[in-house]
Amino acid sequence: MSRIDDDDNNSGVVGYLLIKKVVIDSANTISSPITYGFPAITGFLGSFHAMSRKMADDDVLSDVSLGGVLLACHDCQPQMYRPNPYNNYTLNQTRNPIKKDGKTASIIEEGKCRLVMSFVVEVLSETMLSTEQQDSAIQKTKQLVYQQRMAGGSVRELARFEPVQFFETDDISAVIPQLLPAFVLMDAQDEFAQIIDEVQADNSDATPLDALIDVCALHQVPEAKSNGDTNWSTLSRKTGHGWLVPMSIGYQGISELFDAGIMQNVRNPEYCSQYVEAIYSLGKWVYPQRLNRIGGDHDIANAFWRYHYDADQNLYLVTQHHDF
């Protein structure tokens, strides 16, 4: 997936793989230090990046890689519980495995959710795929998707009929009906910028973080009537902007870049490491039929999430915009 940003790479999008109705159990519902619900986008992009590297080992697909990913969610059920309507929700957690003495291990259990997802993945190559390559990509995807963890969860099943399909670049609009009913996750940077301006117009000392928190809040506003009664109305900062949700879109380095093997307890000591902190923005759930606006804000070509690295500002992002 990262090869799409290489300067020496001449690969382009030659088609799309549609993976329908992927049922994922026990996915990580904690998407960042302060957000939960739908898993982090990096959890899905990392899975398809791993699939891309595995597909490259196939002789027929040695010149093929996977690019950006469109995320369409049919269902998301965070595993939560509350004893009555007046209590806060708590995440259902387990304590396994048990230690030799029969006591529970002192581990931090993550929140889990059950997902039903459809994915559209860009297929990259220097030349158009032959019929043999298309069939091989479909069969290889069917095989690898069951072996691959998705956002920390396990893939249980796919759609019963035609779970994986290949579409030519000119047939991308034919993918949209296949995604129904679902919602596609889109970047809402423009809406976020508007909300920041609105919040700062009311309070010049407000920060973008204040605007993000304001989007997540409901304001109960009283209105006194002439007879002495009071009407309460509920106001939200995101009214009129669509179905907005806070999300993590990557990380920013907060330290120097350490050479391989210097930083302790990293996941992979073979690569350079760096201390980072999460970066937040807003996303928007869009109904697939709105993606028919070719060339507009909701053009389906703009719905694919890709990695973006900015060395000057130490930014490690996932974005749908080339000019972030």
Side-chain angles (χ1 to χ4, degrees):
M1 193 179 301
S2 58
R3 280 182 275 176
I4 192 172
D5 294 326
D6 293 343
D7 295 335
D8 297 332
N9 181 30
N10 296 321
S11 297
V13 179
V14 297
Y16 302 90
L17 281 171
L18 169 64
I19 310 171
K20 293 173 54 179
K21 300 291 182 66
V22 183
V23 179
I24 307 171
D25 281 344
S26 299
N28 183 11
T29 194
I30 301 176
S31 54
S32 77
I34 64 172
T35 58
Y36 85 99
F38 188 74
I41 304 172
T42 50
F44 298 108
L45 264 63
S47 298
F48 286 102
H49 178 68
M51 288 180 58
S52 177
R53 300 181 67 172
K54 294 176 182 177
M55 291 178 65
D57 294 334
D58 190 309
D59 293 337
V60 179
L61 303 174
S62 59
D63 297 330
V64 177
S65 60
L66 302 180
V69 182
L70 179 150
L71 306 176
C73 182
H74 301 275
D75 188 27
C76 178
Q77 299 179 2
Q79 304 302 300
M80 301 185 299
Y81 169 77
R82 61 177 176 176
N84 58 67
Y86 303 100
N87 279 46
N88 293 326
Y89 280 103
T90 58
L91 296 169
N92 296 342
Q93 296 182 340
T94 60
R95 286 290 181 266
N96 56 300
I98 296 177
K99 297 191 294 185
K100 294 181 179 179
D101 57 5
K103 297 180 180 180
T104 51
S106 57
I107 60 176
I108 300 176
E109 181 71 16
E110 297 175 337
K112 304 295 182 182
C113 65
R114 183 181 184 274
L115 295 169
V116 181
M117 298 285 300
S118 288
F119 304 100
V120 184
V121 188
E122 294 174 335
V123 179
L124 309 177
S125 180
E126 295 183 4
T127 58
M128 299 300 294
L129 269 61
S130 64
T131 303
E132 179 187 7
Q133 288 178 312
Q134 294 180 16
D135 293 340
S136 180
I138 292 174
Q139 296 304 320
K140 198 71 175 179
T141 301
K142 288 181 184 178
Q143 174 187 351
L144 293 176
V145 73
Y146 279 106
Q147 302 174 4
Q148 190 65 46
R149 303 283 285 188
M150 292 280 183
S154 303
V155 176
R156 297 304 183 191
E157 60 181 279
L158 303 179
R160 180 176 299 180
F161 302 105
E162 296 184 313
V164 181
Q165 302 174 42
F166 181 86
F167 291 85
E168 301 283 354
T169 52
D170 295 338
D171 297 331
I172 182 60
S173 58
V175 173
I176 295 175
Q178 303 272 4
L179 300 176
L180 299 172
F183 288 92
V184 176
L185 184 61
M186 299 289 292
D187 198 341
Q189 292 180 28
D190 295 338
E191 289 83 352
F192 193 25
Q194 295 175 12
I195 292 175
I196 292 174
D197 292 339
E198 294 172 3
V199 172
Q200 291 180 340
D202 298 335
N203 180 8
S204 59
D205 296 330
T207 65
L209 179 59
D210 295 324
L212 181 68
I213 296 174
D214 204 13
V215 169
C216 305
L218 294 177
H219 301 277
Q220 306 294 334
V221 181
E223 180 182 356
K225 300 178 64 176
S226 58
N227 60 0
D229 294 339
T230 301
N231 283 344
W232 289 84
S233 58
T234 302
L235 301 180
S236 174
R237 182 67 71 174
K238 60 184 178 182
T239 300
H241 293 285
W243 186 0
L244 299 181
V245 288
M247 65 177 184
S248 173
I249 60 170
Y251 308 92
Q252 182 170 32
I254 57 175
S255 73
E256 61 178 300
L257 187 64
F258 297 98
D259 293 333
I262 299 299
M263 188 182 296
Q264 298 181 356
N265 302 321
V266 296
R267 178 174 296 179
N268 193 332
E270 298 179 4
Y271 297 95
C272 299
S273 303
Q274 189 174 22
Y275 288 104
V276 298
E277 62 181 7
I279 297 179
Y280 302 95
S281 183
L282 288 181
K284 179 163 66 173
W285 292 107
V286 177
Y287 202 58
Q289 287 181 331
R290 295 188 63 191
L291 299 178
N292 281 322
R293 301 180 181 179
I294 304 300
D297 294 337
H298 294 151
D299 187 346
I300 190 173
N302 298 327
F304 291 86
W305 294 93
R306 304 176 183 87
Y307 290 122
H308 175 73
Y309 172 58
D310 187 335
D312 295 333
Q313 302 186 53
N314 286 327
L315 292 175
Y316 305 85
L317 302 174
V318 288
T319 178
Q320 293 174 335
H321 302 273
H322 294 288
D323 53 346
F324 183 83

